[in-house]
Amino acid sequence: MKKRGGLFFSLLLFLLVFTVAAGEKCYAKEQAYISLPAGQIRLPAGTRIVEIDVLSLLDLASDYANGAKYRMYYREDFELYFKITELFKILNDQSLRFALGAVNVYMLSVPDGGNDYTAWLVAMKSNQETEKFLPDVFKGKMTEQKKEQALAWYEQQKQETEKMFPRAKKPDFGGPVRKVAYTDLFDYNHSLEYEWQDLDFITINKKPALSHGVRATGDSNGLFSAFYVKRYMFGIGKKPALLAVVTFDSERSFWTRTFDQIMTDGFKPAAR
């Protein structure tokens, strides 16, 4: 579980680096209405959006890990060699690729009051793998029993997340500036602080849904970060689905306000 957590952290790092670096090649048109596999969504006027090919990102990470594996072998750094070898196996795991086949990732940019706000939108439909990560409480009305089930699921989610990224000894940033080597990214030494918001019982398109937010601040091998994630979970037919917005912590107020409004009156889940 911890290795998979490190994997997804590494993928997020690749996502942030390569989508920003490739920005000049993304000729996304401004648009307000788009159709996602999870449903139709109405975005603010002037929004720029581009879809990121997640599987090609996985291939890129796999190629990088494969090259790093041999470099560590020839340097006789066998401890890191075995870590990278294990990562390479995970990156090529077929169940992971099958799960990512149900996930779409988009980069958004919204101009507002002279500022440009950036976020990543994740849309997840259900398949045999992704259903393991989603609550199954959207068939019919949201009863008290289903609410208890959803709250129990949420507590389990929090516990599993904090097991993946446990608190650790924080690096000392005093003294000379610390230099972080690229090979450090494979060590998975994360230290995060969480602020979990309450699970909210909402409606989307007049049907029961869930939402929650979490702030995650901390560092990974000395690379510090602060992110905010807001998730919306709902049913497509009788199967669970998810939309999540991932952004920098400094922009959470804008994106929370924007997507709470979008999900209230600007989103229509797809038919199964």
Side-chain angles (χ1 to χ4, degrees), residues 12 14-31 34 36 43 46-54 57 104-111 116-123 244-248 251 255 259:
L12 177 60
F14 270 97
L15 187 67
L16 297 180
V17 171
F18 285 98
T19 54
V20 172
E24 295 181 359
K25 298 180 181 179
C26 296
Y27 301 106
K29 295 181 180 179
E30 294 185 354
Q31 51 191 299
I34 61 167
L36 310 179
L43 296 172
T47 297
R48 291 177 293 169
I49 179 169
V50 63
E51 183 173 4
I52 298 163
D53 187 339
V54 178
L57 186 66
N104 300 85
V105 180
Y106 307 84
M107 187 176 185
L108 304 177
S109 176
V110 176
D116 281 292
Y117 295 94
T118 300
W120 291 263
L121 176 64
V122 179
V245 58
V246 182
T247 187
F248 300 105
E251 297 185 11
W255 287 108
F259 264 84

Side-chain angles (χ1 to χ4, degrees), residues 142-201:
M142 182 64 72
T143 63
E144 290 301 319
Q145 182 179 4
K146 288 182 179 179
K147 287 184 178 181
E148 291 179 4
Q149 182 182 343
L151 289 169
W153 167 86
Y154 188 43
E155 288 302 317
Q156 182 180 8
Q157 284 272 297
K158 292 192 285 187
Q159 292 174 14
E160 290 181 355
T161 300
E162 296 193 27
K163 283 181 182 178
M164 289 181 191
F165 306 108
R167 300 186 184 195
K169 183 178 179 181
K170 295 183 179 298
D172 183 7
F173 289 102
V177 175
R178 178 180 178 179
K179 184 176 182 179
V180 178
Y182 283 109
T183 54
D184 290 346
L185 298 177
F186 295 105
D187 287 341
Y188 304 149
N189 294 322
H190 308 301
S191 177
L192 291 175
E193 300 289 336
Y194 300 93
E195 291 183 22
W196 296 91
Q197 297 174 346
D198 292 338
L199 183 67
D200 290 327
F201 296 89

Side-chain angles (χ1 to χ4, degrees), residues 74-75 85 88 108 135 139 141 143 146 149 174-175 190 194 209 243:
Y74 288 118
R75 293 179 189 176
T85 299
F88 180 75
L108 304 177
K139 302 172 186 176
K141 296 182 179 180
T143 63
K146 288 182 179 179
Q149 182 182 343
H190 308 301
Y194 300 93
L243 277 183

